Amino acid sequence: MAAKSDDNSLPPGFGTRPWLVQGSRGDTLTFVDVSDLSLHETVVPEVRGKTCLGCMHGDWLLMLDESTADCFLLRITTNPRTKIQLPPLHQPPLFLSTYEMLESPESANCTILVASSTEAEEECYLLHCHPGDEMWTKSVSPYDDISFSSLMRNYGGKIYDFASNLIAIDVIDGKIELQQLGTIKDEEEDSRRCGRYHIIESCGKLFLLWIDDLGCFYDDGLLTAIRVFCLNLETLSWERVEGIGNDRAFLISGTYAFSCPSIEGVLQGNCVYLVWSSCDSERLYKFCLDDMTISFHQILPQPTKSWSRAFWAIPASTQSISMPQESTIPNNLLWRKPSKDNPPNDFDEHKEDGQENSLRPWDHLPVELLELIVSNLSLVDRIRFPTVCKAWSEVLNPIEQAKVWPWLMHISKQDGTCKLFDPLRSENYNIQVTIFDTNEDRHIFRSSKDGWVLASAGIYGNDIFIINPFTEEIVEPPMLAFLYNYNGVSFSSSNPMCLDCAFFGINSSDSGKFLSTFTWQHGEPHWIEQEFEYNVSFPVGYNNPVMFDGKFYCLGRKGNLGVFDPTSNTWRILDKPEPIHVEMDLFEEDHIGREFCYLVDMDGELISVFLRNANELPRVFKLNRTEISWVEVEDIGGGALFLDYRSSYGVASPDGGNGNRIYFPRYSKDGKPVFYDMNKKTYSPSFYGVIEPLNCVWVVPNLRKNESTSED
């Protein structure tokens, strides 16, 4: 419940640090304390019946009464609030796109600029006024090739439009002056899909942020990537950077973005905070650029429209503190991070007070006892086991007989270090993979199968390779002809080095009316593409194909199946099973039928999972192969599912006490795995506030080196 107050009081602490404010309920504003996510409601009569067009200079709101054209600036971080009247604004917000301010309202040179919307208006123009003016001045662009974008920012006393053509906007003697400064070089522009772009001025530098989402799920909260660029003013080019600095954080809501000093317990340095609506709530996302992870919290119980999204209120008085440096950890071999619960194993230290240990030496234990010990060890301890002494190395096949399950592999820097998280034992490891030790290529995990990871490299992601990160064996198919844009990709064999292994990718349009398949086999010079068009849509789900009964099965977002036969290179949509969703609205904001969906082969059974949000429990279905129909189930027979859009796995009988669980590629701050317990029907430890690496994939450890590339 939100704490309520009258119109004369502000929440405790408001005006001393950044807060989030949302106002779509009459004259009531909802304040969100970012430090603890508590809600406070305050009556503000000035906002009744008004639309907030934008937030400028951190804490000034541009308000409009659409029925009367009454327009004014409102500052809510002061008590009493400050209101500055502006001329009536008669253009509907639909015809306007961007709002910016030159200098603060306290300055005599304060100017408010409003740009026309290129989608709603035929002519390109700017409106501007000063506080105290009787009317807005309209200035039509003299350039036919100029249209104003949402990437307009105040910098160095001017406003710049950072579209492909850099435009400087200034007000001289009451008139708008435009100057074209040239084209900004951006080597990665063509490699980025639509996504979201934000321009931020911070400490005299200009940053470009690009945030990607998965397909058309942008209102469902699956944000998958972030890139940060800094403008080189000498070469007029965007250059990729790894971070923004531990002394600051970037705050984004809608089209507005601000830089703010980091504040202990409130804003973490080198992080980007984004307000966005999912299908279940309004969320606050945090991208941590130190380790390239994402987390999110619910800040409002209901999603909002774009025009009423919570905005940042940033007062002038904030205090910054330096973030502590992370400790360096050796990463040149597989190891387990020591902790209180898992102290380092040291079999050589068995002395007390300088006296020799009188127990029987470890290297004299009988082989039968050693084999019994090995049978109860984890995979990593089995790897260490033969290195203890010569006698222990005589135990046969300690690794091959190990029981394995998916681990979460992720990389945060291009330094060759792959981090591994064992979800059943809550343990972390590092391995060094040579191919990832480069700053030239950006490696992105796309899928995995039987210990092999399919990844892409290069600016466009079209340089595909399949690698076993544990043995560093590698398969290199031909480069893709275009930007990587698959809904899913996989391969047929447990050994992709096998000459008869088939590689298969698929994508579809958001509507599902157009679909393409891509195939390759060893010896072929390029990928083969087939295109299909349908009257009845089949929007392919964002999950990887499953090799089942010799064919690639693909799950549609409606819940029906498509099958590709690699022996005949044929694709078809199956009549059965019938879709889970007969109707699906793919583009409207009511989210009817829009769920994340996953397809898994678990011990010879096809399982599909549909997941919407924390408020609705996951729905799990098994394919009845006799009736060819989906049957909803309450448990999975003691098995465990490991779900992600990049790869999903089913384990029929995982390590003790972990059955009937659905694991997600996330973990808590204290290193606990995130899963849904099908018996208790709860998320553990939580659905919100947990951490997910941005570049990760489930992978089953496979330390077997392949000696043959013939048949599998």
Side-chain angles (χ1 to χ4, degrees), residues 71-315:
C71 186
F72 58 91
L73 293 170
L74 181 66
R75 192 178 201 177
I76 60 173
T77 58
T78 58
N79 194 5
R81 292 176 292 276
T82 306
K83 179 179 178 181
I84 298 177
Q85 193 65 43
L86 298 177
L89 182 60
H90 295 284
Q91 280 83 352
L94 176 64
F95 290 79
L96 306 173
S97 65
T98 309
Y99 311 87
E100 269 298 332
M101 182 189 297
L102 270 173
E103 301 194 27
S104 171
E106 288 95 343
S107 169
N109 297 321
C110 174
T111 305
I112 297 92
L113 286 92
V114 179
S116 61
S117 170
T118 56
E119 298 178 357
E121 290 279 58
E122 294 183 357
E123 62 179 356
C124 179
Y125 63 85
L126 288 170
L127 301 175
H128 76 277
C129 76
H130 306 280
D133 287 352
E134 295 184 357
M135 59 184 300
W136 293 81
T137 300
K138 181 177 180 180
S139 301
V140 178
S141 171
Y143 305 107
D144 294 334
D145 59 342
I146 284 184
S147 59
F148 299 111
S149 72
S150 61
L151 301 178
M152 295 175 62
R153 285 297 174 266
N154 187 345
Y155 177 70
K158 297 181 181 179
I159 290 178
Y160 292 85
D161 191 322
F162 292 90
S164 57
N165 290 316
L166 180 61
I167 304 168
I169 306 170
D170 200 359
V171 180
I172 302 176
D173 296 330
K175 294 182 179 181
I176 293 288
E177 297 286 344
L178 300 181
Q179 182 181 5
Q180 296 190 70
L181 301 179
T183 301
I184 302 179
K185 300 175 184 177
D186 187 353
E187 294 183 354
E188 298 189 27
E189 181 178 10
D190 293 337
S191 72
R192 299 189 294 265
R193 297 179 293 181
C194 296
R196 296 177 194 83
Y197 291 85
H198 301 277
I199 299 290
I200 301 177
E201 186 278 328
S202 178
C203 300
K205 295 183 179 181
L206 287 163
F207 292 87
L208 169 68
L209 266 64
W210 174 75
I211 299 174
D212 196 18
D213 49 69
L214 193 62
C216 61
F217 278 104
Y218 60 90
D219 280 335
D220 292 316
L222 193 54
L223 305 176
T224 58
I226 183 171
R227 299 182 194 175
V228 184
F229 304 83
C230 187
L231 184 62
N232 185 321
L233 295 174
E234 293 183 358
T235 62
L236 206 59
S237 60
W238 291 114
E239 298 178 352
R240 176 88 77 96
V241 294
E242 297 295 334
I244 60 176
N246 288 328
D247 59 345
R248 74 198 77 171
F250 288 171
L251 314 180
I252 303 173
S253 179
T255 60
Y256 292 89
F258 308 94
S259 175
C260 183
S262 56
I263 304 173
E264 185 177 13
V266 181
L267 298 175
Q268 182 179 336
N270 206 28
C271 289
V272 177
Y273 293 81
L274 170 69
V275 179
W276 200 255
S277 278
S278 182
C279 54
D280 62 333
S281 64
E282 185 101 332
R283 292 177 177 178
L284 175 61
Y285 291 85
K286 183 178 79 170
F287 293 91
C288 181
L289 302 179
D290 284 332
D291 57 6
M292 295 305 291
T293 59
I294 185 174
S295 59
F296 60 84
H297 287 86
Q298 182 188 86
I299 55 174
L300 295 173
Q302 299 296 330
T304 64
K305 305 295 183 181
S306 58
W307 51 265
S308 62
R309 190 145 293 149
F311 55 85
W312 290 98
I314 307 171

Side-chain angles (χ1 to χ4, degrees), residues 304-333:
T304 64
K305 305 295 183 181
S306 58
W307 51 265
S308 62
R309 190 145 293 149
F311 55 85
W312 290 98
I314 307 171
S317 57
T318 54
Q319 295 181 354
S320 63
I321 88 166
S322 299
M323 298 298 295
Q325 296 294 322
E326 292 187 359
S327 59
T328 57
I329 303 172
N331 51 27
N332 58 342
L333 47 83

Side-chain angles (χ1 to χ4, degrees), residues 557 583-594:
R557 288 173 56 195
E583 299 292 336
M584 176 177 285
D585 197 331
L586 298 173
F587 300 103
E588 297 298 325
E589 294 185 354
D590 53 11
H591 305 280
I592 295 175
R594 297 180 63 176

